Amino acid sequence: MPDQRRINVQTPSATSTQRNTESPGQDGAAPARDMQVELDEGLLARLEDAALSSERVACRDVVQDALATGFAAELLVDCYIPEVSRRLGEQWCADQIGFANVTIGVSRLQSMLRDLGLEWSGDVIGNPAAPTIMLIIPQDAHHTLGAMVVGSQLRRLGVSVRMMLGIRLEDLATRLQRSSFQAVFISSSSGEKLETLSRIVDVVKASAVNAPPVVVGGSLLDVETSENVTALTGADYATKIPSEALELCGISKILHSEPQRMRGS
């Protein structure tokens, strides 16, 4: 039986480790839906202990036990793992755990995400008709977990996601010239410089005759308005909600037009 001690959090979505701005575990996961979810405090504690454990198999064992007792994989990915990551970041900021510990812990949480997300990966879904989105994490950015959560959510919505971690601008231009994307999403932390995002947007716009729409998301929007972000970066849209980003880019219409085929069924 799950521990009945519970906390309320918002479900996460679109998307750090500068100590004076944000912690290694606080990488910008944002609400996917405007709702509250009750999380089991006992499972949160077990996941945190596993992430910090000296036993590498501890994370796998806790996840398997959670799935066996009825916790949905989607809930673990969208809520539990980001919440544990946030707590590790807070402990680091409070000097309760060291940088090496929190780095290893977040790395293990990312491994949990990868393992849980295998059934939603593009290779498994294998639907060539699915709209394709490029999801960029800027070069030298330290956050990846929040973007991994977003990638998982987008795949569950029927979208093929190509994730670009720290890609160089020249490589980004080449990739955009060689492949077609329905949209480009940029994951940005609250410490991200708008000039950096602007350079990425410029490359996207200059790399294709019909440039795909660009959406900036992440915890940057906790400290900047969407209007400022779009005005100062040149992005078409700014939102932290994946479903809203798909709607703004016209991708929701594609998904809804042939829902069964898009899901490979």
Side-chain angles (χ1 to χ4, degrees):
M1 291 293 292
D3 190 326
Q4 294 304 306
R5 293 173 297 157
R6 297 178 183 271
I7 63 172
N8 290 332
V9 299
Q10 288 186 310
T11 56
S13 116
T15 110
S16 13
T17 42
Q18 298 170 344
R19 191 156 191 150
N20 61 343
T21 56
E22 51 190 75
S23 69
Q26 297 170 325
D27 56 285
R33 298 174 296 277
D34 186 16
M35 62 181 292
Q36 294 291 313
V37 174
E38 291 186 339
L39 298 187
D40 185 271
E41 186 66 35
L43 178 55
L44 286 168
R46 292 192 293 277
L47 286 168
E48 182 178 325
D49 289 343
L52 297 174
S53 172
S54 59
E55 300 292 333
R56 296 180 62 87
V57 298
C59 293
R60 182 194 63 191
D61 292 344
V62 172
V63 169
Q64 289 180 346
D65 287 346
L67 295 173
T69 54
F71 288 95
E74 294 87 346
L75 193 61
L76 295 177
V77 169
D78 289 351
C79 300
Y80 280 90
I81 291 175
E83 173 63 14
V84 173
S85 176
R86 185 190 66 79
R87 292 184 178 197
L88 292 180
E90 287 187 344
Q91 291 177 51
W92 180 66
C93 287
D95 289 324
Q96 296 173 349
I97 57 176
F99 182 79
N101 296 99
V102 73
T103 300
I104 292 171
V106 172
S107 176
R108 289 180 175 172
L109 293 175
Q110 291 172 338
S111 295
M112 291 187 208
L113 285 177
R114 283 191 291 269
D115 291 343
L116 286 165
L118 287 177
E119 63 179 296
W120 307 309
S121 69
D123 290 339
V124 174
I125 294 174
N127 181 12
T132 302
I133 290 173
M134 177 183 284
L135 178 57
I136 300 174
I137 294 86
Q139 193 173 15
D140 299 325
H142 300 285
H143 67 290
T144 57
L145 190 142
M148 290 174 66
V149 172
V150 172
S152 172
Q153 293 174 339
L154 290 170
R155 290 182 179 113
R156 277 179 269 150
L157 291 170
V159 175
S160 175
V161 180
R162 305 285 178 84
M163 191 170 292
M164 304 295 168
L165 303 176
I167 189 170
R168 297 184 303 169
L169 293 181
E170 53 267 35
D171 295 333
L172 174 61
T174 300
R175 186 64 62 91
L176 287 165
Q177 290 164 0
R178 292 179 176 176
S179 303
S180 176
F181 297 92
Q182 276 68 52
V184 173
F185 292 179
I186 305 174
S187 173
S188 55
S189 68
S190 59
E192 203 76 64
K193 293 182 178 179
L194 294 177
E195 294 86 349
T196 299
L197 301 179
S198 179
R199 286 194 291 270
I200 295 173
V201 174
D202 287 345
V203 169
V204 175
K205 298 293 187 182
S207 298
V209 176
N210 297 311
V214 179
V215 183
V216 173
S219 59
L220 174 67
L221 294 173
D222 291 333
V223 296
E224 293 281 357
T225 66
S226 58
E227 291 79 8
N228 281 347
V229 170
T230 54
L232 296 175
T233 66
D236 298 286
Y237 309 107
T239 177
K240 296 166 64 177
I241 305 174
S243 58
E244 181 178 306
L246 295 179
E247 186 73 30
L248 291 168
C249 295
I251 296 174
S252 294
K253 293 180 180 179
I254 300 174
L255 294 172
H256 295 155
S257 63
E258 296 180 276
Q260 296 303 315
R261 187 164 71 92
M262 285 301 174
R263 286 162 176 77
S265 56

